[in-house]
């Protein structure tokens, strides 16, 4: 096993995670198999109990692990599935004292050999963000530094990076490579392969698919506006995976993404009195959106504003996607304004409501909060084959998605909802736990208990995000047609070049939206590569 360790200096936010992920992409493009580990210094056992304002989103893994958002970057860039053990924190390590140093090394070596790409054997290279000390010849240390340019003189200044490397050497580590943010490929893979003695087994990187996707993105002109209605709108990292999933879907639909951040509290009636300008701005953004998304979240603040956003989308036929809490609030809104139950609520916010349309799950507890949720990959079974959701997933009988919740739609109210037009189209294996709801006669109104954003990839956008974007720009019929087709030739997982546009026969599915996206690119073949992802 070879190791690449990525460290940072000077300031946070330089892009260690992106650097680590990018190195992984390049090594993978050279024909190597890659895995990844993140080491964090905080004393929490995981990211699940850290405020999103402080640490950004909590990324949920298949096995239910709650991890740093950088593991999401690794999964998206490298198209792999990591586990909770790929996230190492000081809190986890101190759980096994007194041999802390040995435990860190043992943990890295144990987790590094776990296959994460669907194969049986261990990967060739493990990318580690932050730290670790392994034997020479198997270790490449990459230090991410800052080289600012002073506008007054237009000169690059290397002193900040020099100082951070000097500090690094005090700890006994000398970087093999110094990574400074740049806009041009400088053949970093050659330096890494040389340090790791892998030049004889790695080929030249094949980045055609990534290049084609980037080129297509640069040519996109037509926009689609999505109103993101949440309470953490001031910290974009809180919804990082949602933003990436929207971007993946927009590229697939040939649209340039514009996100309007709408603080849910600003939509509430109380804001109209105390801050009328904020109130009017929020409602103007909501009314001007092509589609509306209410993401997951916890806590009562801003809930009424989210319910108002759901109501607006439902009554005005605006494409809507509600995720986790967003889905639960579709049930609350529907109960209040369609079933005419004005006090309907979730017991999370009103334990004494007479019409509890969202209740805590029997196996969960609202005491202590942390570690009491239903988390990780779970199976969802479609009960309405003709639903939009089922069609977007390719009309399969079931799917696996990732969850993080302790409340659910009240099973006792399902019949009331369905009798009035809110259809339950996906459930768990018992058929009782609601996982997906839709309004069939709405342009696109979908609520899901799971987090589809966690499994979205640049080459494989989330089906539901594609549905939202497609509906928002008038392409839903095309998206449903695409999903019904077999794209296996165009989605070769080994990264080989996909069928070019000229290879498509009369029987091959190629929607109008794909043709339009292709026309925006200088290279039709490359455009076809990425629009069929």
């Amino acid at each position: 096993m070879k190791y690449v360790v990525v460290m940072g200096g000077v300031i946070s936010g330089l892009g260690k995670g992106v650097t680590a992920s990018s190195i992984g992409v390049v090594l993978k493009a050279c024909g190597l198999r890659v895995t990844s580990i993140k080491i964090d210094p905080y004393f929490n056992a995981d990211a699940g109990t850290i405020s999103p304002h402080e640490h950004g989103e909590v990324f949920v893994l298949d096995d239910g692990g709650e991890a740093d958002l950088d593991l999401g970057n690794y999964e998206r860039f490298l198209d792999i599935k990591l586990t909770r053990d790929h996230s190492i924190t000081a809190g986890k390590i101190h759980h096994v004292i007194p041999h802390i140093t040995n435990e860190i090394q043992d943990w890295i070596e144990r987790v590094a050999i776990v296959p994460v790409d669907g194969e049986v054997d261990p990967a060739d290279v493990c990318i580690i963000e932050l730290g670790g000390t392994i034997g020479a010849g198997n270790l490449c240390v990459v230090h991410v530094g800052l080289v600012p340019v002073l506008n007054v003189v237009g000169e690059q200044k290397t002193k900040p990076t020099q100082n951070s490397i000097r500090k690094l050497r005090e700890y006994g580590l000398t970087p093999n490579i110094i990574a400074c943010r740049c806009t041009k490929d400088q053949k970093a893979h050659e330096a890494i392969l040389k340090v790791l003695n892998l030049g004889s087994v790695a080929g030249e990187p094949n980045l055609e698919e990534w290049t084609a996707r980037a080129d297509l993105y640069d040519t996109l002109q037509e926009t689609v506006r999505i109103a993101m209605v949440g309470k953490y709108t001031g910290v974009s990292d809180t919804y990082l995976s949602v933003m990436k999933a929207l971007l993946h879907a927009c590229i697939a639909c040939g649209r340039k993404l514009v996100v309007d951040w709408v603080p849910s509290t600003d939509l509430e009636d109380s804001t109209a009195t105390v801050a009328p300008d904020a109130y009017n701005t929020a409602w103007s953004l909501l009314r001007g959106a092509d589609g509306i998304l209410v993401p997951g979240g916890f806590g009562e603040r801003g809930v009424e504003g989210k319910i108002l956003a759901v109501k607006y989308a439902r009554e005005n036929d605006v494409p809507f996607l509600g995720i986790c809490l967003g889905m639960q609030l579709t049930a609350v809104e529907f109960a209040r304004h369609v079933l005419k139950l004005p006090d309907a609520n979730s017991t999370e916010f009103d334990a004494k409501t007479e019409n509890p349309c969202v209740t805590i799950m029997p196996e969960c507890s609202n005491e202590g909060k942390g570690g009491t949720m239903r988390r990780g990959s779970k199976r969802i079974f479609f009960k309405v084959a003709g639903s939009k959701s089922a069609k977007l997933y390719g009309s399969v009988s079931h799917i696996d998605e990732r969850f993080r919740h302790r409340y659910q739609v009240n099973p006792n109210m399902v019949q009331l909802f369905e009798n009035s037009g809110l259809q339950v189209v996906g459930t768990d294996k018992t058929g009782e736990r609601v996982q997906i709801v839709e309004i069939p006669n709405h342009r696109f109104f979908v609520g899901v208990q799971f987090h589809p954003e966690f499994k979205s990839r640049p080459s494989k956008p989330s089906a539901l995000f594609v549905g939202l974007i497609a509906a928002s720009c008038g392409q839903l019929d095309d998206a449903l047609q695409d999903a019904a087709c077999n794209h296996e030739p165009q989605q070769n997982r080994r990264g080989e070049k996909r069928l070019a546009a000229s290879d498509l026969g009369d029987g091959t599915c190629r929607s109008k939206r794909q043709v339009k996206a292709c026309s925006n690119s200088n290279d039709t073949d490359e455009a076809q590569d990425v629009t069929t992802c």
Side-chain angles (χ1 to χ4, degrees), residues 388-396 463 466 476-487 509 513:
K388 294 183 180 73
S389 298
K391 289 180 178 179
L392 285 168
Y393 277 99
S395 298
V396 295
V466 170
L476 184 58
D477 288 343
D478 291 333
L480 295 174
Q481 178 185 344
D482 291 348
C485 295
N486 180 4
H487 285 296
C509 176
R513 68 189 181 92

Side-chain angles (χ1 to χ4, degrees), residues 12 19 27 80 98 102 157 203 230 258 270 281 290 305 353 378 450 454 468 479 487 489 497:
S12 62
T19 299
L27 294 181
I80 56 179
N102 288 343
K157 295 297 182 180
V258 177
S270 58
T281 297
D290 300 310
T353 177
K378 311 290 181 185
F450 50 87
F454 290 145
L468 172 66
H487 285 296
K497 185 168 177 64

Side-chain angles (χ1 to χ4, degrees), residues 262-263 266-267 277-287:
V262 182
D266 289 355
L267 295 171
D277 289 345
Y279 176 83
N280 292 331
T281 297
W283 275 102
S284 177
L285 291 174
L286 193 73
R287 294 188 180 106

